[in-house]
Amino acid sequence: MIRSITHLLWLLIVALIPNKSIYAQSSESITVNNGQLYIMPNTLISTYFDFKNSNLATVFNNGEFQFYKDLYNDGLFTYSTGSTSSLSSFKGIEVQELLGSKPIQYFNVLFDNSTKTYAFDLKNEISIDGTADFNKGIVRVNQDNTSGVLFGTKGKHIHTSDLSYIEGVVEKVGDTSFIFPIGKKGLYRRAAISALEEVLTAYSSEYFFEPTDAVYPHQNKQPSITAINKQEYWIVKQVQGKEDSAIITLSWDERSTPKELLVNPEKQLHIVSWDDKQKLWIDQGGVVDLQSKQVSTPIEVKGMSVFTLGLVAQEDPPEQDIVIYNAVSPNGDGKNDYFFIENINRFSNNTVEIYNRWGVKVYDTKNYDSAGNVFRGYSNGRATLNKSDRLATGTYYYVVTYQYSDSRGTQMKKKTGYLHLENQ
């Protein structure tokens, strides 16, 4: 362990030698780094006491640094640019605290602590640019706005489960799709965001296993919504970048999702969100994946949005409602030459939006199917695409919203699903 400049110099010399494992001990309860510690690749250092990286001190970890107790960081704790071998391992047998006044930058990090309830108490800001391995142990993020977890542009996680996840806010920056490793009360309850359009875009998410009705009254909802999850919800928030669209995915779990929501999920289960301006639950539509137990929908996330799962009313008979044909092959043969929505002319107050698989809006219009106003496989100038750009063959999402009147009154209905475009 590092108790003085002499100990530091000895450890520094050994750490510069590759293929060495270093185990140092001290009679003190804490080890303090007051200088510069460089851990070379293929080098292992283990500390069995609390480790403090003091103000103005530096740790460059390009090998493996194992912690069996707490980590205090008041200096610079990072890795060399371009290093992919950097690993910080937390392998204690009791609760480990990660705290200090300066953020910690990890490339790879391993959480491996079998302490029940909370194994890791995070009271600092950490960033993960490589892989977070959630082997064992729940990471609790302090709710004092001084701690948090940020995954960088290439950050990812593995082995996430009910035994190991993050309880608290997780942020992701970059242009890749991401599953948030979040949960609560022993349940890993993932939410996901699609690949983002620009590197500077960032989203955060947190899961709550608690009643929603008290704060977000369920009686305030669109008429098409028949039931709302009373036991859990997610907050998804855009924290950086221009306001834009994305595809939000929520999961369900029989242990936390009410049974009444799962009777007929394929036809009735949607994502619903709380509109804070209207003080109303809004139907956001949803495409259900029964095998993965999840629901996805394109959405524009503005500020903080509260999401959960809800049921919508059974579809009306085709002669009274719209019918969507989701194959488009604009080759001039008279078959599926445009995105055909039967009966849409009955509901002139409508909007049609089409998103690619990354959640980027490529087409939108109002009063669809009037005066030749239809989708024929071309962009209409949204997002990063130019007007009249021919879209690539593939699968897209559609969102059709229209004003509908029946015995329950007038309401806005939303239908979401997949559209296959064959653009030869």
Side-chain angles (χ1 to χ4, degrees):
M1 309 304 291
I2 310 166
R3 289 183 294 164
S4 66
I5 189 64
T6 303
H7 285 78
L8 175 59
L9 288 174
W10 172 82
L11 185 55
L12 177 58
I13 292 171
V14 180
L16 290 171
I17 303 174
N19 302 312
K20 293 288 185 180
S21 294
I22 302 167
Y23 298 88
Q25 295 183 355
S26 170
S27 59
E28 305 293 335
S29 61
I30 187 169
T31 298
V32 180
N33 176 24
N34 290 313
Q36 294 185 338
L37 172 60
Y38 291 81
I39 306 173
M40 296 293 289
N42 302 313
T43 303
L44 170 65
I45 294 179
S46 296
T47 170
Y48 290 87
F49 296 93
D50 294 344
F51 181 87
K52 182 175 182 179
N53 194 41
S54 63
N55 187 29
L56 301 181
T58 299
V59 172
F60 274 93
N61 177 23
N62 296 325
E64 181 177 358
F65 204 162
Q66 292 182 346
F67 299 90
Y68 288 84
K69 293 288 186 177
D70 300 343
L71 169 60
Y72 301 76
N73 183 58
D74 293 324
L76 176 63
F77 192 108
T78 186
Y79 59 91
S80 299
T81 302
S83 173
T84 59
S85 60
S86 173
L87 172 62
S88 296
S89 302
F90 293 89
K91 309 181 74 170
I93 57 174
E94 57 185 23
V95 177
Q96 293 179 266
E97 290 187 315
L98 286 71
L99 63 169
S101 61
K102 299 289 181 63
I104 304 172
Q105 186 177 17
Y106 299 117
F107 188 76
N108 298 320
V109 60
L110 168 65
F111 298 106
D112 190 10
N113 184 322
S114 58
T115 302
K116 293 183 178 179
T117 310
Y118 302 109
F120 306 99
D121 198 357
L122 180 61
K123 298 178 180 178
N124 197 353
E125 294 182 358
I126 66 172
S127 63
I128 302 166
D129 296 321
T131 301
D133 188 343
F134 290 93
N135 190 45
K136 284 182 293 187
I138 295 171
V139 181
R140 179 173 62 178
V141 177
N142 203 327
Q143 299 295 313
D144 59 0
N145 296 320
T146 62
S147 64
V149 180
L150 170 66
F151 282 84
T153 56
K154 296 183 179 180
K156 62 181 181 179
H157 58 93
I158 59 175
H159 301 144
T160 316
S161 69
D162 291 343
L163 299 177
S164 190
Y165 57 80
I166 296 173
E167 181 175 307
V169 178
V170 176
E171 185 176 333
K172 175 65 170 71
V173 63
D175 58 355
T176 55
S177 58
F178 187 71
I179 299 174
F180 290 94
I182 51 179
K184 206 160 192 176
K185 298 181 180 179
L187 294 176
Y188 168 40
R189 298 295 290 114
R190 67 190 188 277
I193 192 84
S194 66
L196 308 177
E197 184 180 354
E198 55 177 310
V199 173
L200 295 179
T201 304
Y203 283 86
S204 67
S205 186
E206 184 175 7
Y207 170 72
F208 296 84
F209 190 13
E210 56 190 60
T212 57
D213 199 10
V215 182
Y216 312 106
H218 290 186
Q219 63 183 14
N220 301 341
K221 58 182 176 59
Q222 289 181 322
S224 61
I225 301 173
T226 60
I228 298 171
N229 192 330
K230 298 178 180 180
Q231 299 180 173
E232 59 183 348
Y233 63 96
W234 293 258
I235 288 179
V236 181
K237 185 178 181 182
Q238 187 175 14
V239 295
Q240 186 177 344
K242 66 180 182 180
E243 290 185 351
D244 212 335
S245 57
I247 295 173
I248 299 291
T249 299
L250 300 183
S251 57
W252 75 78
D253 189 311
E254 289 79 0
R255 297 170 297 174
S256 60
T257 309
K259 293 180 180 180
E260 58 267 25
L261 268 65
L262 304 177
V263 174
N264 190 15
E266 192 170 15
K267 293 184 177 180
Q268 291 186 270
L269 193 61
H270 281 193
I271 292 176
V272 297
S273 68
W274 175 258
D275 188 312
D276 203 44
K277 291 184 178 180
Q278 299 184 66
K279 305 297 180 184
L280 189 72
W281 283 99
I282 305 296
D283 174 21
Q284 297 293 351
V287 178
V288 175
D289 184 336
L290 290 175
Q291 184 174 0
S292 300
K293 295 184 178 181
Q294 62 187 33
V295 186
S296 302
T297 194
I299 195 170
E300 294 183 7
V301 182
K302 298 179 180 180
M304 184 182 74
S305 294
V306 176
F307 295 93
T308 191
L309 299 175
L311 288 181
V312 295
Q314 289 274 20
E315 293 186 0
D316 293 302
E319 63 271 12
Q320 299 178 19
D321 203 353
I322 66 171
V323 179
I324 297 174
Y325 296 81
N326 62 352
V328 180
S329 55
N331 55 11
D333 65 355
K335 299 178 181 179
N336 303 320
D337 283 336
Y338 66 92
F339 181 39
F340 181 55
I341 308 174
E342 188 176 347
N343 297 331
I344 192 65
N345 291 318
R346 298 181 184 177
F347 311 98
S348 59
N349 184 10
N350 69 68
T351 60
V352 173
E353 301 168 325
I354 296 175
Y355 298 78
N356 66 17
R357 60 191 179 95
W358 296 285
V360 177
K361 188 188 293 185
V362 298
Y363 176 91
D364 70 26
T365 191
K366 296 181 179 179
N367 196 10
Y368 188 80
D369 204 9
S370 62
N373 181 26
V374 294
F375 173 69
R376 297 181 182 274
Y378 289 85
S379 166
N380 64 353
R382 305 296 299 177
T384 58
L385 297 172
N386 296 319
K387 188 174 182 179
S388 299
D389 273 357
R390 191 174 186 178
L391 298 172
T393 294
T395 300
Y396 294 77
Y397 286 88
Y398 66 78
V399 179
V400 180
T401 307
Y402 56 105
Q403 187 175 21
Y404 182 90
S405 298
D406 60 9
S407 58
R408 296 170 292 182
T410 300
Q411 59 179 307
M412 296 302 295
K413 295 183 68 174
K414 178 177 287 190
K415 292 190 176 184
T416 307
Y418 291 118
L419 179 154
H420 181 74
L421 174 64
E422 191 67 34
N423 228 348
Q424 300 296 334

